[in-house]
Amino acid sequence: MNDMKHACRLVLLGALMFPASQAAAQYASTDGRLDPASRLRQPVVYPQEAIDKCVSGTTVIIVDVDGEGRFVRAVVEKSSRDRHLDNAALEAARHWVYIPPRNEKGETEADRIRIPLDFEEHESCWTKTVPDAPAYPEASSLERYPPQWPGTIEANQLSGEVVVTLLLESDGSAHSVRIAKSSGDMAIDQAARWAANQWTYVPAVVDGKPVRSVLRLPIAYGNKPK
């Protein structure tokens, strides 16, 4: 009889503890973050003053958001050493969407979000001459490193193209790869950018000599419409 009472107590204790463990798992705390889709929709505008001076740098900003993820204020934590780039970063932060953190109870909270922003040298500063022969990707590298497209393309029968802009050195290596025209899907854009960064390129030529250049490269995904 005592053994039966002990077993009943264990069953009752387990029943009381199980919902609590479920709730803890359901409301695991999360950190606040920037919605990456909003950053794609509202990219940082490279200020004309910085373009004219051909400057580059990294600005790190701290964004305060309220418990609903609404923008409150932004400050520069680390300057790019150019006030025009810093101001462009602060202005972009005002238009982005943020996802607030959640505590263990599942409640959203105010937060401070740290965001680094890289400003590459503007492409108009990269080359001032029109090449006699433009750069292009080597066919062998296209075969070795095809884009690793996400499964959503096939599952949803998506098709289209991502356009990337590459700043290429005179030896054909990629200095940087940017998304010039987004697919609207971050995973698709990242797959295109990764592949473009793996490829090797034949450099542009001016007067018989290889030069730095800018290459706009469309990368198609999915099945072409019939």
Side-chain angles (χ1 to χ4, degrees):
M1 180 66 69
N2 289 336
D3 290 343
M4 183 175 294
K5 288 182 179 179
H6 180 67
C8 289
R9 290 194 189 99
L10 290 177
V11 170
L12 179 60
L13 180 61
L16 291 173
M17 292 179 64
F18 184 69
S21 64
Q22 271 191 324
Q26 182 179 357
Y27 296 120
S29 60
T30 59
D31 295 327
R33 62 191 186 279
L34 167 64
D35 180 358
S38 75
R39 185 169 176 174
L40 285 175
R41 291 191 300 267
Q42 298 276 353
V44 179
V45 177
Y46 201 114
Q48 188 61 48
E49 296 87 349
I51 295 175
D52 294 340
K53 294 188 295 182
C54 289
V55 297
S56 61
T58 299
T59 301
V60 180
I61 59 175
I62 301 294
V63 180
D64 290 341
V65 298
D66 65 14
E68 300 298 322
R70 291 186 293 257
F71 174 88
V72 176
R73 69 181 64 85
V75 296
V76 174
E77 180 191 55
K78 179 182 178 183
S79 173
S80 64
R81 298 185 179 180
D82 182 272
R83 65 183 180 86
H84 301 296
L85 297 183
D86 292 348
N87 289 338
L90 294 173
E91 179 60 27
R94 298 174 60 86
H95 304 284
W96 288 335
V97 175
Y98 302 91
I99 301 171
R102 289 184 179 274
N103 59 27
E104 291 80 359
K105 297 180 180 179
E107 301 166 335
T108 58
E109 299 179 330
D111 197 14
R112 307 196 82 195
I113 302 173
R114 185 176 186 270
I115 306 173
L117 296 165
D118 294 323
F119 291 91
E120 290 277 357
E121 188 178 12
H122 194 264
E123 63 186 63
S124 65
C125 302
W126 192 248
T127 178
K128 300 296 185 182
T129 59
V130 177
D132 302 325
Y136 59 90
E138 293 182 338
S140 58
S141 70
L142 296 177
E143 295 175 359
R144 285 197 305 272
Y145 302 105
Q148 303 299 304
W149 300 119
T152 51
I153 291 179
E154 183 176 357
N156 299 320
Q157 298 183 340
L158 303 176
S159 63
E161 70 176 18
V162 180
V163 179
V164 297
T165 296
L166 300 102
L167 303 184
L168 299 176
E169 297 282 3
S170 58
D171 63 358
S173 60
H175 175 79
S176 71
V177 181
R178 310 172 189 168
I179 301 298
K181 177 186 174 186
S182 173
S183 65
D185 185 301
M186 190 173 182
I188 295 176
D189 290 351
Q190 287 178 339
R193 184 174 182 175
W194 177 87
N197 209 28
Q198 304 307 308
W199 296 336
T200 54
Y201 300 86
V202 176
V205 174
V206 174
D207 295 331
K209 297 180 180 179
V211 295
R212 300 196 307 174
S213 65
V214 178
L215 174 64
R216 281 177 61 88
L217 184 65
I219 304 175
Y221 61 88
N223 296 322
K224 294 181 179 179
K226 298 180 179 179

